Amino acid sequence: SSSGTGADGLWASAGRFAVMAFSYLLYFIAFLGIAIAVSAKAQTARAALLVLFAFWIVNSLLIPRAVSDAAQKIHRAPSSIEFWDAVRKDMQEGIDGHDPQSKRTEDAKRMLLAQYKVEKVEDLPINFGGWSLQQGEEYGNKVFDKKYGELWNTFERQNRVHAFGGVFAPLLAVRSLSMSMAGTDFSHHRHFATQAESYRRVINKMMNEDLMYNGGTGNTNYFADRNLWERVPQFEYQLPSTQWALSTQKLPLAILALWALLGVGAAVTATRSMNVG
């Protein structure tokens, strides 16, 4: 479930709506100012239309495409195949490349036997299968934290390139702000995915530990009853605040405000020169 639904969710989103409306207002002011300035300076209406149409093409099509390509070349993200190959390699050979899975398993098993002062797995008072599952889960979490952290940081750097691209195309700035306030940008995705992953780990640990302590020893077939599932907490996603979202958009907001100021300045300067003439 999510805390961002219902009347409370709408009220909590009021700030987001306000910021989104303000960003579109700045975008409108920038375009209006540019349109007035071009119309005032152009010799004919046709010339003004051509200039404004060219600006629209550059702003909406050319610059966004160029910035997207540049972001991917400057901060290259691995393909899906490359990413999962790297994950499998770290799982099998160790994060540092010197801790193979077989050695980790044997070392952990030896420590477990020493902890319970027994010589064989069959003599353990806990279910070895559940214990093994949790061991693999915990090491996998380290691998995923490292690999996803690297991948997500690459995406964050790509987004910064997009943000700077707003200097050349105000569409990039207003799009970034709009997506952030709507909760559909990468920062919100990362925020949600982090909470969801934490919840997944809680469930997995509960399942593995239940099998470990209640599953008996040896190769017994163990089936948990409904009491286990009733103890599993609900997933409560907490939508970040408007202030949090806005804190990720300082650069696009500043660039958009600058475009609005430049638009107003250009319009005022152009109309004054007309009056003087």
Side-chain angles (χ1 to χ4, degrees):
S1 61
S2 171
S3 62
T5 59
D8 290 341
L10 288 175
W11 177 252
S13 299
R16 290 172 174 267
F17 291 137
V19 174
M20 187 182 295
F22 180 67
S23 65
Y24 278 108
L25 177 62
L26 290 177
Y27 188 60
F28 173 75
I29 291 173
F31 254 84
L32 183 62
I34 292 170
I36 292 173
V38 170
S39 298
K41 288 293 186 180
Q43 297 296 320
T44 64
R46 178 177 296 179
L49 183 61
L50 285 174
V51 171
L52 291 173
F53 184 64
F55 176 75
W56 178 83
I57 290 176
V58 170
N59 173 66
S60 303
L61 302 176
L62 299 183
I63 295 297
R65 180 72 264 175
V67 169
S68 180
D69 291 342
Q72 293 181 30
K73 288 182 180 179
I74 297 172
H75 303 293
R76 181 184 176 275
S79 67
S80 177
I81 294 176
E82 290 172 335
F83 177 79
W84 288 111
D85 281 346
V87 169
R88 280 191 289 270
K89 182 178 179 181
D90 278 10
M91 291 290 289
Q92 294 171 1
E93 301 178 12
I95 294 177
D96 57 2
H98 303 288
D99 191 15
Q101 188 174 17
S102 57
K103 181 178 181 299
R104 293 197 312 270
T105 302
E106 286 303 315
D107 289 346
K109 185 194 298 183
R110 191 161 45 248
M111 292 178 63
L112 179 67
L113 294 175
Q115 176 185 345
Y116 285 99
K117 297 181 174 59
V118 295
E119 295 183 358
K120 296 183 299 181
V121 168
E122 292 77 12
D123 297 330
L124 287 168
I126 63 173
N127 185 284
F128 183 72
W131 177 86
S132 297
L133 287 172
Q134 185 57 29
Q135 291 297 307
E137 179 74 15
E138 290 177 3
Y139 195 82
N141 291 343
K142 294 179 182 178
V143 173
F144 291 145
D145 286 344
K146 177 176 182 290
K147 291 303 180 184
Y148 270 107
E150 293 171 352
L151 179 66
W152 286 349
N153 287 339
T154 298
F155 290 155
E156 296 280 10
R157 288 191 287 270
Q158 288 182 354
N159 284 340
R160 280 198 288 272
V161 175
H162 279 269
F164 279 109
V167 171
F168 307 100
L171 175 69
L172 291 174
V174 75
R175 185 172 68 183
S176 180
L177 278 157
S178 179
M179 290 177 65
S180 177
M181 293 307 112
T184 58
D185 67 338
F186 178 72
S187 295
H188 281 80
H189 167 76
R190 186 171 188 171
H191 186 272
F192 174 82
T194 299
Q195 290 194 30
E197 173 62 15
S198 297
Y199 179 70
R200 185 195 68 83
R201 294 180 184 185
V202 168
I203 294 179
N204 277 12
K205 187 174 183 180
M206 288 183 68
M207 299 301 108
N208 292 336
E209 289 185 347
D210 182 77
L211 176 60
M212 190 190 316
Y213 296 118
N214 301 318
T217 59
N219 296 320
T220 58
N221 291 325
Y222 169 67
F223 296 94
D225 57 28
R226 63 180 297 169
N227 292 328
L228 171 62
W229 298 102
E230 288 175 348
R231 294 203 311 271
V232 175
Q234 278 196 331
F235 177 51
E236 296 283 349
Y237 176 63
Q238 184 65 44
L239 184 70
S241 66
T242 303
Q243 289 78 10
W244 180 91
L246 197 55
S247 70
T248 68
Q249 299 297 310
K250 293 177 181 177
L251 181 59
L253 183 60
I255 290 174
L256 194 57
L258 181 61
W259 268 102
L261 287 174
L262 289 175
V264 171
V268 170
T269 302
T271 52
R272 280 180 177 173
S273 64
M274 284 181 63
N275 293 335
V276 170

